[in-house]
Amino acid sequence: MNGPDIELPENVALAWGLRNRPSRGPKRSLSLDQVVSTGIQIAQADGLAAVSMSRVASELGVATMSLYRYVPTKHDLLDLMVDTAYGPPPRPRGVDEGWRPALARWGEGNLTALRRQPWMRHVPISGPPINPNQVRWLEYGLAALRGTGLRATEQISTIMLVSGYARSWATLTADIAEAAARTGQTPAEVGLRYWQHLAVVTAPGPYPAIHELLAEGGEYDEDVDLEWRFGLGRVLDGVAVMIEARAAEASRDAGPSGDGGPSGDGGVPAGA
Amino acid sequence: MNGPDIELPENVALAWGLRNRPSRGPKRSLSLDQVVSTGIQIAQADGLAAVSMSRVASELGVATMSLYRYVPTKHDLLDLMVDTAYGPPPRPRGVDEGWRPALARWGEGNLTALRRQPWMRHVPISGPPINPNQVRWLEYGLAALRGTGLRATEQISTIMLVSGYARSWATLTADIAEAAARTGQTPAEVGLRYWQHLAVVTAPGPYPAIHELLAEGGEYDEDVDLEWRFGLGRVLDGVAVMIEARAAEASRDAGPSGDGGPSGDGGVPAGA
DNA sequence: TAGCTTCTGCGTATGGTCTACGCAGAAAAG
DNA sequence: CTTTTCTGCGTAGACCATACGCAGAAGCTA
């Protein structure tokens, strides 16, 4: 029927299993999935730095160069590792769940995935989402925002907002957790030490806001996810403001010249 | 007066220039700044991958191993490069600028810095901000939120929200721009091609939200910063909701048991 | 001024990394 | 059976970061 007129890049075709396997030569002794999941195992066990082509190969009992029959480049392997390690997004709860809990669960899912495989944060993002699970995540993220009146580009901005925050948060907490594991401390101790270092370096200079923050001090061992949820709640509140404004505008039906909501770009200056 | 009881890590002391230079041996032929800025020049010209110790050294006319008299490790060099390349944050406009424009400018500044030196997005974040400019950025970010009634941890979450979004956005646009430069296309063409690829791979499967998005189609060559500002505006709106709620609560003076604002964690489920 | 100490630049060497190239042989097609 | 095509993989090249240790410069102390 519809032969794809557009030629997909090698990466993408590979990730989606769209490479017509040849029937001529000898059978392959491995599968792409084996290679990818071996890479994931190594990354999970010994960190991303331990994932070398020779390590993966020896783990599979083959020679290093054999892997290049399955993967064009090491970076493509890493991309595939990330895609399968991310896994599928959390399924939408119901049709009429509402955008807010849906997007919240989507964000939480992002964080959970990154927490489960902390090495993923060290794989640089190689472009817009195009691999299977990435696309599924994109689908569910957009699905959460369907029917809200948000435009296409706005939906994408919103999704990047949430996923970017999840990545930031996962990175921070994982960095602290790893530093703690390295030095045999608790994460709370590492956090405390950070604040101490910050206090030392900011002592001579004028850093009123930081000093006020340090003075407030407080509990470092409390549930860190509380702070995460705060930020997520702010995003959702902000999106809600816009959606409600759009809805009000739409129900007014004959909007005169309504461009954007009440606080469409409010407070954001035009220039740099 | 106050000798620092707390021993700073080597990295940090180095970044802050807190290493008491010895008076005994021969004079050093280089300075740390020279090493760092040479690294930045190389990264800016040929990308982060081109920054090798030997390349930096040869650019400076010294032997490779000489650099290790200035920097303990290559990764420390990268951290220093990022810190100085980021530069100082945009100065606050005035004392009573208000938190919203201040935080907006802070976010824009983040994006601008990352846009000016796109290689920075490939340097993995190595921990909470502790180097001089990072701390200055932290200071100004917190300063924007002073007096808003937000708690310390909430201020930090908010800042991570904005900076994470800026990083996401900078990464996406820089990836597209670089892909365009590589293939001699315009960014708009690269974006279009992405949507085409997305259409191809999602054609067989059930991706209603993505297909709706693709059907909406639209203009790819419009001002990309418009989409960026949309997300930033949402964050600021969400923060505004919370701040106003806190203010209202505080003016009610004798709040009975007010824990969080009206939509404190609203819509965010507790479990994963 | 002599000697000691300390620090500098850096030559050498180790043990990695990715991957281009090409060959021997296996499996299927004609 | 021949030809084609694909497989695994051995070899080799071009990098990389960095541990170690040495010769000599520069300052401090006597």
Side-chain angles (χ1 to χ4, degrees):
Chain A
M1 283 289 193
N2 53 351
D5 323 53
I6 289 149
E7 204 62 39
L8 291 174
E10 186 66 17
N11 312 332
V12 182
L14 207 78
W16 286 85
L18 299 176
R19 268 292 161 266
N20 36 357
R21 55 283 159 94
S23 56
R24 269 329 160 96
K27 298 259 167 77
R28 355 185 73 181
S29 62
L30 265 46
S31 74
L32 179 56
D33 277 344
Q34 278 178 352
V35 175
V36 170
S37 56
T38 302
I40 292 175
Q41 278 172 25
I42 296 169
Q44 189 75 11
D46 298 344
L48 189 68
V51 180
S52 68
M53 296 305 264
S54 70
R55 172 77 185 275
V56 174
S58 79
E59 212 97 345
L60 282 164
V62 300
T64 305
M65 289 313 290
S66 305
L67 299 182
Y68 287 94
R69 293 281 174 197
Y70 298 84
V71 158
T73 233
K74 186 194 177 181
H75 203 90
D76 294 311
L77 172 58
L78 294 182
D79 280 348
L80 291 172
M81 284 168 55
V82 168
D83 193 60
T84 82
Y86 236 96
R91 286 208 133 270
R93 202 100 56 198
V95 186
D96 50 356
E97 186 185 12
W99 68 267
R100 196 188 236 264
L103 190 55
R105 289 198 315 118
W106 190 84
E108 297 274 358
N110 259 281
L111 181 62
T112 305
L114 283 164
R115 281 251 175 85
R116 221 176 354 229
Q117 285 102 358
W119 54 269
M120 289 199 295
R121 73 190 191 279
H122 290 132
V123 180
I125 291 168
S126 61
I130 192 62
N131 281 356
N133 278 328
Q134 289 175 10
V135 168
R136 272 189 275 270
W137 278 86
L138 176 63
E139 167 68 24
Y140 282 129
L142 293 173
L145 292 171
R146 280 223 285 181
T148 54
L150 258 51
R151 282 186 269 275
T153 57
E154 295 172 345
Q155 289 182 18
I156 289 174
S157 287
T158 305
I159 284 178
M160 290 192 60
L161 192 48
V162 174
S163 65
Y165 179 50
R167 197 180 172 94
S168 299
W169 197 263
T171 299
L172 181 72
T173 55
D175 284 348
I176 289 175
E178 275 182 12
R182 250 199 318 276
T183 61
Q185 295 173 307
T186 69
E189 284 169 340
V190 172
L192 179 63
R193 199 161 294 273
Y194 166 67
W195 293 117
Q196 287 173 344
H197 292 160
L198 195 60
V200 171
V201 296
T202 59
Y207 297 92
I210 288 176
H211 288 143
E212 188 171 303
L213 191 98
L214 289 168
E216 192 174 327
E219 320 74 39
Y220 303 108
D221 48 358
E222 68 173 302
D223 184 14
V224 283
D225 284 350
L226 221 82
E227 311 176 27
W228 145 260
R229 279 198 216 100
F230 171 84
L232 184 54
R234 270 352 89 222
V235 175
L236 299 179
D237 277 358
V239 175
V241 168
M242 165 113 287
I243 288 175
E244 284 158 18
R246 284 275 166 80
E249 182 186 331
S251 72
R252 232 184 303 110
D253 224 7
S257 67
D259 183 350
S263 45
D265 301 324
V268 183
Chain B
M1 282 291 193
N2 52 351
D5 323 53
I6 290 151
E7 205 61 39
L8 291 174
E10 185 67 18
N11 311 331
V12 182
L14 207 78
W16 286 85
L18 298 176
R19 269 292 161 265
N20 35 357
R21 56 282 159 97
S23 56
R24 265 336 156 93
K27 296 260 166 76
R28 352 185 77 182
S29 61
L30 266 45
S31 73
L32 179 57
D33 277 342
Q34 278 178 352
V35 175
V36 171
S37 56
T38 301
I40 290 174
Q41 279 171 23
I42 295 168
Q44 189 77 10
D46 297 345
L48 189 67
V51 179
S52 69
M53 296 305 265
S54 70
R55 172 78 185 273
V56 174
S58 78
E59 213 97 344
L60 282 164
V62 300
T64 305
M65 289 311 291
S66 305
L67 298 182
Y68 287 95
R69 293 281 174 198
Y70 298 84
V71 157
T73 234
K74 186 193 178 182
H75 203 90
D76 294 311
L77 171 58
L78 295 182
D79 280 349
L80 291 172
M81 283 167 56
V82 168
D83 193 60
T84 81
Y86 236 96
R91 286 209 133 269
R93 199 90 72 187
V95 185
D96 49 358
E97 185 185 14
W99 68 266
R100 197 188 235 264
L103 190 54
R105 289 199 314 119
W106 190 84
E108 297 273 357
N110 259 280
L111 182 63
T112 305
L114 283 164
R115 281 251 175 85
R116 220 175 356 229
Q117 285 102 356
W119 54 268
M120 288 200 294
R121 74 189 190 281
H122 291 131
V123 180
I125 292 168
S126 63
I130 192 63
N131 281 357
N133 277 328
Q134 289 175 9
V135 168
R136 272 189 274 271
W137 278 85
L138 176 63
E139 168 67 25
Y140 283 129
L142 294 173
L145 292 171
R146 281 223 284 181
T148 55
L150 259 51
R151 281 188 269 274
T153 57
E154 296 172 344
Q155 290 182 18
I156 288 175
S157 286
T158 304
I159 283 177
M160 289 192 60
L161 193 49
V162 174
S163 65
Y165 178 50
R167 197 178 172 95
S168 299
W169 197 262
T171 298
L172 180 73
T173 54
D175 285 347
I176 289 174
E178 275 182 13
R182 250 198 319 277
T183 61
Q185 295 174 306
T186 69
E189 284 169 339
V190 171
L192 179 64
R193 200 161 292 273
Y194 166 68
W195 293 117
Q196 287 173 342
H197 292 160
L198 195 60
V200 170
V201 296
T202 59
Y207 297 91
I210 288 177
H211 289 142
E212 187 170 303
L213 190 97
L214 290 169
E216 192 174 329
E219 319 74 40
Y220 304 108
D221 47 358
E222 67 174 303
D223 184 13
V224 284
D225 284 351
L226 221 81
E227 311 176 26
W228 146 259
R229 279 198 217 99
F230 171 83
L232 184 54
R234 270 352 89 221
V235 175
L236 299 179
D237 276 359
V239 175
V241 168
M242 165 115 286
I243 288 174
E244 285 157 18
R246 283 274 166 80
E249 182 187 331
S251 73
R252 232 185 302 110
D253 225 7
S257 67
D259 182 351
S263 45
D265 301 325
V268 183

